[in-house]
Amino acid sequence: MKVLVIEDEIALKDSIVAYLKQEGYTCDAATDYPSALLKTASHTYACVVVDLTLPGGNGLNIVRSLKENNADTGIIIISAKNALDDKITGLEVGADDYLTKPFHLSELNARLKSVLRRRNFNGQKVLRVGEVEVQPDAAEASVAGKQLTLTRKEYELLLYFVSNRNRVLTKESIAEYLWGDHIEMLDSLDFVYTHIKNLRRKIVEAGGQDYIQTVYGLGYKFMSP
């Protein structure tokens, strides 16, 4: 899942990003209000972790902007402000959760999983499409009960497909989901085809149907049976 971390304390920002990447998330980061606003306007995120006090602006305005333009994005506020009024205001403007500093990174991860489960998966711990099952919390997938051995990118691709079943996903949106800001460093998007080909092969070899359809000129679609 693609997450944006908005935090002006560099050490904390780096710690959060490193931890979440280790947990399997694709992460972007911003350290001030203008760059955060630009990223939220130009990219789509499953969840945004945002500090309230930022150079150049207030994190609450980012929350308001997200709710107006990307209503499906989960939002977790992290702040040193522990006053009840601040928490109430944050939740009233649209945040899903509020975490007071200092906090354990494992607690942030647990809150993040909960928000993503509610928003992206309707609270489900297991996602099913035909014989394919994906467990987001465990980062595992299976076909007809048989565990799939997937690379990290193949798993992320499968989760993206299952979360957007029956929708056409462009090659560009898939690349952005898998690589985040690093997409600008890529010479081409050929790797998307390679990951899709490998994922398709592994699902079929495990006994599943070929769920991935190529929509010529547009992209790819993961079809429910």
Side-chain angles (χ1 to χ4, degrees):
M1 306 299 290
K2 189 176 179 182
V3 176
L4 174 63
V5 177
I6 305 171
E7 170 58 60
D8 65 317
E9 295 179 39
I10 302 301
L12 177 57
K13 182 265 294 180
D14 289 345
S15 295
I16 294 173
V17 169
Y19 181 86
L20 293 181
K21 284 184 175 179
Q22 185 179 347
E23 291 296 308
Y25 297 96
T26 299
C27 291
D28 290 347
T31 56
D32 56 49
Y33 180 83
S35 62
L37 209 57
L38 179 62
K39 285 184 182 295
T40 55
S42 56
H43 300 281
T44 300
Y45 297 97
C47 191
V48 172
V49 178
V50 56
D51 190 6
L52 290 183
T53 307
L54 296 168
N58 191 316
L60 286 176
N61 290 330
I62 293 175
V63 176
R64 293 187 179 98
S65 174
L66 281 167
K67 300 314 295 181
E68 291 175 3
N69 301 300
N70 298 284
D72 292 335
T73 299
I75 303 170
I76 299 177
I77 290 175
I78 54 173
S79 177
K81 297 182 178 181
N82 193 27
L84 180 60
D85 288 347
D86 290 322
K87 291 185 177 181
I88 291 175
T89 300
L91 295 173
E92 282 184 342
V93 298
D96 296 278
D97 207 342
Y98 191 111
L99 194 56
T100 304
K101 300 177 184 177
F103 52 82
H104 291 288
L105 294 176
S106 57
E107 181 180 5
L108 173 61
N109 189 31
R111 302 277 189 106
L112 187 55
K113 286 181 178 179
S114 178
V115 169
L116 291 173
R117 201 161 47 233
R118 290 199 307 269
R119 286 198 160 271
N120 294 56
F121 313 130
N122 296 318
Q124 301 175 77
K125 291 191 175 183
V126 179
L127 308 178
R128 296 182 178 87
V129 178
E131 310 103 325
V132 177
E133 289 191 357
V134 180
Q135 300 179 52
D137 286 357
E140 295 178 349
S142 61
V143 173
K146 182 179 180 181
Q147 194 80 18
L148 286 176
T149 301
L150 304 174
T151 66
R152 174 179 167 181
K153 292 300 182 187
E154 289 167 359
Y155 168 76
E156 291 174 353
L157 176 60
L158 177 59
L159 182 60
Y160 190 44
F161 271 136
V162 170
S163 303
N164 293 278
R165 70 193 72 177
N166 300 322
R167 296 179 183 173
V168 176
L169 303 175
T170 66
K171 186 183 290 186
E172 290 77 14
S173 70
I174 294 172
E176 182 183 323
Y177 178 83
L178 293 178
W179 286 92
D181 283 348
H182 300 294
I183 188 175
E184 298 175 358
M185 301 169 60
L186 301 174
D187 294 330
S188 72
L189 300 182
D190 291 345
F191 77 92
V192 171
Y193 171 75
T194 301
H195 285 315
I196 288 175
K197 180 181 69 174
N198 291 338
L199 177 61
R200 174 186 279 136
R201 174 178 55 80
K202 290 181 179 181
I203 291 175
V204 172
E205 287 180 352
Q209 300 179 40
D210 184 2
Y211 294 96
I212 304 173
Q213 291 188 0
T214 301
V215 183
Y216 292 100
L218 295 176
Y220 301 90
K221 183 189 295 187
F222 199 90
M223 293 293 296
S224 298

